Amino acid sequence: MLETPIKDAAQLVNLPLKVLYQLKRDGIICDPVSDADLRGLAMISQIWGKVWYVRHMMSPLPQVYRRKICLEPDISRAERYALSCYLNAKEGERIHVKDVIGKVRHYLKTSLTEEQVTKVREIAYDIRRGRRLDPRTKAEGTLDNAE
């Protein structure tokens, strides 16, 4: 029985490494990935991201929750804190990336890169313009256990 390291398996089946790590955390696959798991991942990769399948996977969920999934970014606790720094800023107030990085390091004892903070700043601008939902709040009618 041949086993493949998880990083190599992700490249072989053309799935995001993040997805394979989540499957491992959920106990669906092992690291290293077995031949049987690799065959299953190959099947998943055939349907991955195809709209028809995504639409049918999401159809049992309430419309509000589907909207939330599509519009909200998937961000970490530190990124949510950085987002709140931008969203809670007063009109015209300038917030510097280095200041946000310092606050995250001080209050959460973790670090963010400049790229992460820049991404969060763009999310904040989108939220203020109404192009995206605020991930800090729960939309009404969401399924808390569906995440």
Side-chain angles (χ1 to χ4, degrees):
M1 182 154 106
L2 200 66
E3 293 186 334
T4 309
I6 202 162
K7 287 183 180 183
D8 294 343
Q11 289 179 336
L12 282 171
V13 296
N14 198 25
L15 286 172
L17 184 59
K18 194 175 191 178
V19 170
L20 270 66
Y21 279 127
Q22 185 64 46
L23 290 169
K24 178 184 172 269
R25 278 191 296 277
D26 291 343
I28 297 169
I29 64 170
C30 299
D31 186 13
V33 180
S34 70
D35 284 343
D37 288 344
L38 200 54
R39 282 191 294 277
L41 290 171
M43 284 188 268
I44 290 172
S45 73
Q46 294 297 310
I47 64 167
W48 186 262
K50 293 193 177 172
V51 176
W52 189 89
Y53 294 102
V54 173
R55 185 177 294 124
H56 286 283
M57 283 186 259
M58 292 178 63
S59 66
L61 302 174
Q63 184 177 5
V64 173
Y65 190 68
R66 290 193 308 259
R67 178 177 163 82
K68 179 180 181 230
I69 289 170
C70 294
L71 296 177
E72 279 189 13
D74 185 23
I75 60 177
S76 68
R77 180 175 177 245
E79 290 169 329
R80 266 195 307 277
Y81 180 83
L83 181 63
S84 69
C85 290
Y86 284 106
L87 292 177
N88 292 333
K90 293 178 179 73
E91 187 70 34
E93 180 182 3
R94 293 185 64 96
I95 299 181
H96 300 281
V97 171
K98 299 236 186 260
D99 293 340
V100 173
I101 291 172
K103 285 181 178 183
V104 168
R105 187 175 298 122
H106 177 75
Y107 292 112
L108 301 179
K109 309 291 189 245
T110 188
S111 61
L112 289 176
T113 65
E114 287 187 20
E115 292 80 22
Q116 286 174 299
V117 176
T118 303
K119 178 187 100 175
V120 166
R121 183 178 60 199
E122 290 172 14
I123 292 169
Y125 292 154
D126 286 348
I127 290 169
R128 284 191 170 191
R129 292 180 188 124
R131 295 183 191 151
R132 193 183 294 226
L133 295 177
D134 187 346
R136 299 173 306 160
T137 61
K138 292 269 188 201
E140 287 183 36
T142 61
L143 299 175
D144 291 332
N145 59 356
E147 294 180 33

